[in-house]
Amino acid sequence: MTAWQNSLGTSLLERLSSARKVGIVVMAAAFLAGCQADELGYGPKAQRPVSAEVKRKMTELNMSSTSPIMVRIFKQENELEVWKQARNGRYQLLEKFEICKWSGELGPKFKEGDRQAPEGFYEITPGLMNPNSNYHLAFNLGYPNQFDRAHGRTGTHLMVHGACSSRGCYAMTDAQVQDIYALARDSFKGGQRSFQVQAFPFHMTPENMAKYHDSEHMDFWRMLKVGYDHFELTKVPPKVDVCEKKYVFDATPLVEGIPFRATAKCPEYKVPDRVALLIDHKQREDEKKFETIVAKLEAREERQKRWDERQKAIAGVLGGGQAPSVDVAGSAPASEQVEPVVADVAAATAAPKARPEGEVATAYAPSDQSGGTPGNFLKRWLPFGEKTTDDTTTVGPIETSAAPAPKP
């Protein structure tokens, strides 16, 4: 065999070897891609498209796949909402997800390790997205924000993630977080620099606020409600700043170049006139409803207290036994009476009914449906006692009749 033939053979062998290597690499890539497949799709999970259902809703709502998004979280209702900008510039509710788990109680997070899910306004940038999360996919809320830091609050790695497991985070199912992550990722591709997450204890309605009117967090929640109302009225995420250790919304300093500083005095600022008027009107109307509901709740609590005291007195007269239990309006725990009170408020907004001459109406002591006072009501149900004044009963001699003795 000539030298030329030897050279040709060696060249062919090298090419065959190279082809084998390429084939092996292709097969390995295919194998790895197959390993990344699961019941939710194929390929890298952080690059998968939104589900067909979400894509269909975007088409129906005339939304671009890359338009900006905003997220709202409601603890009590276990809801995470994704709002997305439509082509008219306003945001519409695209999808509502049921939160799988969140930890802690209603109220803000205070310190590292309290396992409390945060409440407040947070901005999520691309750097806070985690495609390699141990909980399928995740994004960091960015806690503590400027407001949290101004109040000395601490905590790290507070996430919205998958795997349905929470120790201070908002946990979703893997399928849910994959859609949420994809919507955020695509909004960044469209040019959105950050998206807002608004985390609330509940929908900030007068009814819910009244239900928790004696909470230690009420002042904090009232502040959050202002931002909630800004979005409810404008359907555009509010601009959020912090000064004097409080949130301010859609505010622009009157003097250009003077910034908002979280712990410093607020500079003079202005909120757009139209927004300011809408907010002021809504706040006043909601406050009226809030005060009416709270007044009714407190009146019922007072009636419940009097009822409990009478039952104790009766039990003492009977020798320490339990007084008869009567199922009456106002005898349920006050915490269970918010819904009937809300119904009362709704009825009160209807056309007023004519009242008999001389009757006095008061929100603090509504008469019961039978037209009697608590004292009269007690007398109707108890087989003893003498009525003395409007709302008191004195216990008199108790007549008893023994049951006939059984026959032998």
Side-chain angles (χ1 to χ4, degrees):
M1 185 178 292
T2 65
W4 176 83
Q5 288 176 323
N6 286 333
S7 177
L8 177 61
T10 301
S11 178
L12 288 172
L13 287 173
E14 288 177 350
R15 290 181 182 179
L16 287 173
S17 177
S18 178
R20 287 196 194 98
K21 291 179 180 177
V22 170
I24 291 171
V25 170
V26 171
M27 291 175 62
F31 176 76
L32 290 174
C35 288
Q36 290 180 317
D38 54 35
E39 69 277 8
L40 301 177
Y42 291 86
K45 56 189 176 183
Q47 299 302 322
R48 295 171 188 171
V50 295
S51 64
E53 176 65 15
V54 172
K55 187 175 181 179
R56 180 186 62 78
K57 288 184 178 180
M58 285 193 291
T59 301
E60 291 176 354
L61 294 171
N62 193 27
M63 294 173 174
S64 164
S65 62
T66 58
S67 68
I69 68 166
M70 188 201 80
V71 172
R72 291 203 303 184
I73 292 172
F74 301 100
K75 286 182 175 178
Q76 180 175 268
E77 293 86 353
N78 292 322
E79 292 176 356
L80 185 149
E81 299 176 345
V82 177
W83 291 71
K84 192 168 178 64
Q85 189 180 59
R87 298 188 190 277
N88 64 2
R90 292 166 68 86
Y91 284 65
Q92 297 183 43
L93 179 60
L94 173 62
E95 187 64 281
K96 183 184 295 185
F97 300 93
E98 181 178 358
I99 297 173
C100 192
K101 285 184 181 179
W102 58 271
S103 62
E105 302 174 349
L106 300 185
K109 181 176 182 65
F110 290 100
K111 62 181 180 179
E112 181 88 43
D114 63 5
R115 297 197 174 189
Q116 184 76 359
E119 294 174 8
F121 293 81
Y122 300 90
E123 289 292 327
I124 314 305
T125 61
L128 293 175
M129 305 287 286
N130 184 3
N132 302 310
S133 172
N134 292 328
Y135 299 89
H136 194 66
L137 292 166
F139 62 81
N140 194 317
L141 285 172
Y143 180 95
N145 62 14
Q146 285 187 330
F147 176 88
D148 301 319
R149 290 194 297 271
H151 288 267
R153 298 176 181 175
T154 59
T156 54
H157 309 303
L158 280 302
M159 306 275 185
V160 172
H161 60 62
C164 193
S165 174
S166 174
R167 286 183 291 180
C169 299
Y170 293 102
M172 316 300 294
T173 66
D174 289 353
Q176 290 172 332
V177 81
Q178 188 159 304
D179 267 339
I180 297 167
Y181 190 97
L183 288 166
R185 177 200 66 214
D186 292 346
S187 77
F188 291 137
K189 288 181 179 179
Q192 186 175 25
R193 294 185 177 182
S194 65
F195 67 90
Q196 192 173 102
V197 173
Q198 303 175 359
F200 299 109
F202 39 70
H203 287 271
M204 310 300 279
T205 62
E207 294 79 9
N208 282 335
M209 298 290 282
K211 185 176 181 179
Y212 297 99
H213 67 278
D214 55 354
S215 170
E216 62 181 311
H217 307 305
M218 182 51 61
D219 288 342
F220 174 68
W221 290 341
R222 282 181 177 273
M223 180 175 53
L224 296 188
K225 184 180 182 299
V226 178
Y228 175 92
D229 289 344
H230 272 250
F231 181 73
E232 284 289 298
L233 292 170
T234 66
K235 290 299 183 287
V236 175
K239 174 178 171 288
V240 180
D241 290 289
V242 181
C243 58
E244 297 179 13
K245 297 185 178 182
K246 65 182 181 181
Y247 287 112
V248 291
F249 304 96
D250 289 325
T252 302
L254 294 180
V255 179
E256 186 177 352
I258 297 182
F260 291 99
R261 299 188 187 279
T263 57
K265 180 178 175 60
C266 293
E268 291 189 33
Y269 64 83
K270 182 179 181 181
V271 176
D273 291 341
R274 178 177 173 275
V275 175
L277 288 172
L278 290 172
I279 292 296
D280 181 65
H281 177 75
K282 187 176 191 304
Q283 292 272 306
R284 284 189 284 106
E285 291 299 310
D286 286 354
E287 188 65 20
K288 289 178 184 177
K289 293 179 183 179
F290 171 84
E291 290 176 353
T292 300
I293 297 170
V294 169
K296 285 180 175 288
L297 283 172
E298 290 177 344
R300 291 196 178 192
E301 289 170 357
E302 181 61 28
R303 290 199 302 273
Q304 177 68 43
K305 181 179 178 182
R306 293 200 304 267
W307 174 261
D308 291 342
E309 289 173 350
R310 287 172 186 162
Q311 285 203 317
K312 288 180 181 178
I314 294 166
V317 172
L318 294 175
Q322 284 282 352
S325 176
V326 182
D327 185 12
V328 299
S331 64
S335 61
E336 299 176 7
Q337 296 176 352
V338 174
E339 287 75 13
V341 170
V342 172
D344 291 346
V345 174
T349 60
K353 297 180 181 179
R355 294 182 178 273
E357 185 177 354
E359 183 176 349
V360 179
T362 170
Y364 289 85
S367 60
D368 66 59
Q369 296 299 317
S370 62
T373 64
N376 291 336
F377 182 81
L378 183 65
K379 184 178 179 183
R380 286 199 299 275
W381 280 93
L382 298 179
F384 55 86
E386 297 177 0
K387 182 173 183 295
T388 55
T389 59
D390 289 344
D391 199 22
T392 60
T393 300
T394 57
V395 178
I398 303 173
E399 296 182 8
T400 61
S401 57
K407 296 180 179 180

